[in-house]
């Protein structure tokens, strides 16, 4: 079997929400077929770099697999289609979002298999960061293309629109059960000790949940008050992200019947 060496093609889109910018991953087979994981944002530097990697390997881009519909992963689809008209575009559907990136999307489902020159990737539905999120599993090498499921350098955001912390934790456990040997995220470096990393990520979220419950124990509180009681002395610039995190925890507890909200005040347990 040939070695499996994904090529990182940076999307050249650094910014406050993307860090150093997104990683997209190019896979080429000896047959000349190529698959790109994530489409970036359509920056010219990304398209040029993609084109030069393909030329060097005499490869043709056949498929673009998109992990989810956030714009830093999906927006580049139209520019890539214009440059590579033979390529097909694949993601798990998120009606209402996918239309923002008008290419002919073909639907992926949990377990969809994507062939690449005798090798294959399997789509793993991993919601939580977004409802449509899929990771791509290359079983032979134990590599998981993790999209925004994990990040080596910080906590993944669970946005109030489309995020679900309960689903997210289930997705982390699901990935853990695959026993991957490396995770290749869409932001930041590779993660080479997935078991330890995933265990810590799950523990970290449960510790945070405990802090939220403690904050609620002394009576009803706003998201703001819960956040301030947990994140003492956080710099103001990071406060909005902390609010989102606390809100995600509160929503998880509410869905589980362990917290309720009335008039913007959150309380532990269920409504009387
Ligand atoms: Zn995202």
């Amino acid at each position: 079997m040939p070695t499996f060496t994904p090529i990182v093609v940076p999307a050249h889109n650094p910014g406050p929400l993307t860090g150093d910018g997104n990683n997209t991953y190019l896979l080429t087979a000896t047959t000349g077929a190529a698959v790109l994981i994530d489409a970036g944002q359509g920056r010219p530097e990304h398209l040029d770099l993609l084109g030069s990697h393909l030329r060097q390997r005499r490869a043709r881009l056949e498929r673009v697999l998109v992990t989810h519909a956030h714009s830093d992963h999906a927006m580049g689809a139209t520019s890539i289609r214009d440059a590579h008209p033979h390529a097909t575009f694949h993601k798990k559907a998120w009606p209402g979002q996918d239309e923002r990136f008008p290419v002919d999307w073909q639907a992926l489902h949990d377990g969809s298999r994507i062939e690449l020159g005798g090798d294959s990737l399997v789509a793993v539905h991993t919601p939580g960061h977004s409802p449509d999120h899929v990771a791509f599993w290359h079983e032979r090498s134990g590599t998981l293309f993790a999209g925004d499921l994990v990040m080596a350098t910080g906590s993944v955001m669970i946005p109030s629109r489309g995020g679900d912390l309960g689903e997210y934790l289930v997705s982390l456990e699901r990935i853990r059960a695959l026993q991957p040997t490396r995770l290749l995220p869409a932001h930041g470096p590779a993660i080479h000790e997935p078991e330890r990393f995933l265990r810590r990520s799950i523990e970290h979220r449960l510790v945070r949940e405990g802090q939220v419950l403690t904050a609620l124990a002394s009576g009803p509180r706003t998201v703001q008050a819960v956040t301030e009681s947990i994140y003492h002395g956080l710099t103001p610039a990071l406060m909005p992200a902390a609010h989102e995190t606390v809100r995600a925890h509160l929503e998880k507890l509410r869905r589980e019947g362990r917290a309720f909200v009335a008039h913007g005040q959150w309380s532990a347990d269920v409504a009387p």
Side-chain angles (χ1 to χ4, degrees):
M1 274 292 198
T3 54
F4 183 69
T5 324
I7 302 156
V8 184
V9 187
H12 290 271
N13 60 335
L17 294 175
T18 61
D20 292 339
N22 286 54
N23 303 321
T24 71
Y25 294 97
L26 181 65
L27 314 177
T28 58
T30 47
T31 55
V35 165
L36 183 69
I37 296 175
D38 270 348
Q41 288 188 234
R43 296 282 158 84
E45 298 90 334
H46 182 228
L47 290 158
D48 289 351
L49 192 56
L50 174 62
S52 81
H53 279 300
L54 289 165
R55 275 192 303 280
Q56 269 172 34
R57 288 162 184 79
R58 299 178 197 281
R60 184 169 92 151
L61 186 63
E62 295 199 336
R63 292 191 180 85
V64 179
L65 311 178
V66 170
T67 56
H68 63 297
H70 289 161
S71 57
D72 52 326
H73 303 258
M75 195 165 97
T78 49
S79 319
I80 294 174
R81 175 203 54 204
D82 295 345
H84 304 273
H86 298 287
T88 55
F89 292 81
H90 308 255
K91 72 181 294 302
K92 181 162 171 66
W94 185 0
Q97 293 297 314
D98 297 341
E99 297 77 8
R100 298 190 296 145
F101 317 108
V103 299
D104 184 12
W105 292 111
Q106 300 188 20
L108 290 176
H109 303 281
D110 186 50
S112 292
R113 191 170 282 275
I114 302 101
E115 300 297 331
L116 175 68
D119 219 342
S120 66
L121 294 169
V122 176
V124 186
H125 185 213
T126 40
H129 170 72
S130 68
D132 60 335
H133 193 282
V134 292
F136 295 99
W137 174 229
H138 183 254
E139 186 172 14
R140 183 168 63 76
S141 68
T143 303
L144 185 84
F145 296 91
D148 278 358
L149 191 60
V150 292
M151 207 163 45
T153 49
S155 283
V156 167
M157 283 288 283
I158 308 297
S160 39
R161 188 179 66 179
D164 184 318
L165 183 58
E167 287 185 345
Y168 178 73
L169 291 173
V170 171
S171 291
L172 291 186
E173 289 289 7
R174 192 161 177 219
I175 291 319
R176 197 177 169 192
L178 293 172
Q179 300 187 291
T181 55
R182 65 174 163 173
L183 307 176
L184 299 181
H187 301 273
I191 295 164
H192 292 286
E193 291 186 344
E195 166 55 27
R196 194 166 68 130
F197 180 87
L198 292 169
R199 195 180 62 237
R200 281 189 183 172
S201 300
I202 293 163
E203 281 167 7
H204 173 74
R205 299 279 179 169
L206 296 179
V207 166
R208 193 66 85 207
E209 179 170 287
Q211 291 173 330
V212 170
L213 286 168
T214 302
L216 295 182
S218 50
R221 287 171 174 228
T222 60
V223 173
Q224 173 99 14
V226 174
T227 308
E228 280 166 6
S229 76
I230 295 174
Y231 296 88
H232 308 284
L234 194 67
T235 58
L238 295 175
M239 261 304 170
H243 273 203
E244 280 286 90
T245 298
V246 167
R247 191 181 298 280
H249 278 286
L250 290 167
E251 281 298 331
K252 172 180 181 286
L253 292 167
R254 188 181 60 75
R255 288 185 185 114
E256 294 169 351
R258 299 162 70 197
F260 72 99
V261 59
H263 312 295
Q265 300 277 323
W266 286 83
S267 306
D269 295 322
V270 291

